[in-house]
């Protein structure tokens, strides 16, 4: 609650440098905070973290996003976490590196099971629309999961229980 009040009031950082910018920012030429690659050259979806000091960290994939939030560095825990919201017409089989809109990770739905060989780590698709996520998941024989379910999984090497039961 105190963080919400902090953000709502637009309070300054500890050094009174002004309000913190918690919204996502364009990828541009940002380097991945985990592997050092140019994030904009990697296929969607990608992630971005915002820290208490207003700094942003971009990452190449959802798996790297998850890895970065588990680290405890000098900036502390992130106060904002964003993933790309893939559009309904998104061709997940293609290696599209174009930008997508950002959505808060806690509002997104995650779909495992897509074959995307050039994605860093386990391929995961992200959608802000539950119906779209379910449609794609159905086509892959899996189910859409929430960010909290992704976080509860010890590793993304073996995706969480996403496969549907066969009748």
């Amino acid at each position: 609650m105190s963080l919400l009040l902090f953000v709502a009031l637009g309070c300054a950082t500890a050094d009174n440098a002004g309000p913190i910018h918690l919204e996502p920012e364009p990828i541009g030429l940002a380097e991945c905070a985990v592997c050092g690659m140019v994030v904009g050259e990697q296929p969607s979806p990608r992630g971005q973290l915002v820290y208490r000091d207003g700094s942003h960290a971009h990452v190449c994939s959802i798996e790297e996003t998850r890895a970065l939030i588990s680290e405890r560095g000098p900036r502390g825990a992130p106060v904002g976490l964003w993933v790309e919201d893939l559009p309904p017409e998104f061709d997940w089989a293609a290696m599209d590196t174009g930008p997508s809109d950002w959505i808060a990770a806690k509002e997104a739905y995650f779909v495992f099971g897509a074959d995307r060989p050039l994605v860093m780590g386990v391929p995961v698709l992200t959608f802000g629309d539950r119906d779209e996520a379910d449609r794609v998941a159905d086509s892959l024989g899996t189910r859409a999961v929430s960010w909290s379910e992704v976080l509860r999984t010890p590793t993304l090497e073996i995706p969480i229980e996403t496969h549907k039961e066969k009748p």
Side-chain angles (χ1 to χ4, degrees):
M1 180 68 175
S2 63
L3 177 60
L4 184 57
L5 181 60
F6 178 82
V7 172
L9 294 176
C11 293
T13 59
D15 62 2
N16 291 321
I20 297 172
H21 178 67
L22 295 178
E23 295 300 312
E25 58 186 25
I27 294 171
L29 296 175
E31 290 183 5
C32 179
V34 174
C35 71
M37 296 175 76
V38 176
V39 176
E41 294 176 353
Q42 308 312 310
S44 300
R46 296 157 287 214
Q48 145 171 203
L49 292 80
V50 183
Y51 292 95
R52 187 163 300 157
D53 65 0
S55 63
H56 291 243
H58 290 84
V59 286
C60 293
S61 68
I62 302 307
E63 186 170 2
E64 288 183 344
T65 302
R66 205 184 102 131
L68 189 58
I69 65 167
S70 67
E71 292 181 5
R72 294 294 181 233
R75 295 184 286 188
V79 294
L81 178 59
W82 304 89
V83 295
E84 287 182 300
D85 180 8
L86 301 178
E89 67 278 0
F90 182 77
D91 181 2
W92 56 265
M95 295 296 112
D96 183 11
T97 60
S100 295
D101 292 334
W102 293 100
I103 185 171
K106 66 183 178 184
E107 297 173 9
Y109 300 94
F110 300 80
V111 178
F112 292 82
D115 183 19
R116 303 190 77 214
L118 297 178
V119 171
M120 299 295 291
V122 174
V124 181
L125 303 174
T126 55
F127 300 94
D129 180 85
R130 179 62 189 244
D131 291 337
E132 182 63 15
D134 286 341
R135 184 189 66 74
V136 172
D138 284 345
S139 75
L140 295 170
T142 66
R143 68 178 180 89
V145 297
S146 68
W147 180 245
S148 63
E149 289 177 283
V150 172
L151 290 177
R152 285 195 301 264
T153 308
T155 177
L156 290 184
E157 290 301 320
I158 302 172
I160 55 182
E161 298 297 324
T162 57
H163 292 308
K164 292 185 174 183
E165 294 292 322
K166 294 184 179 177

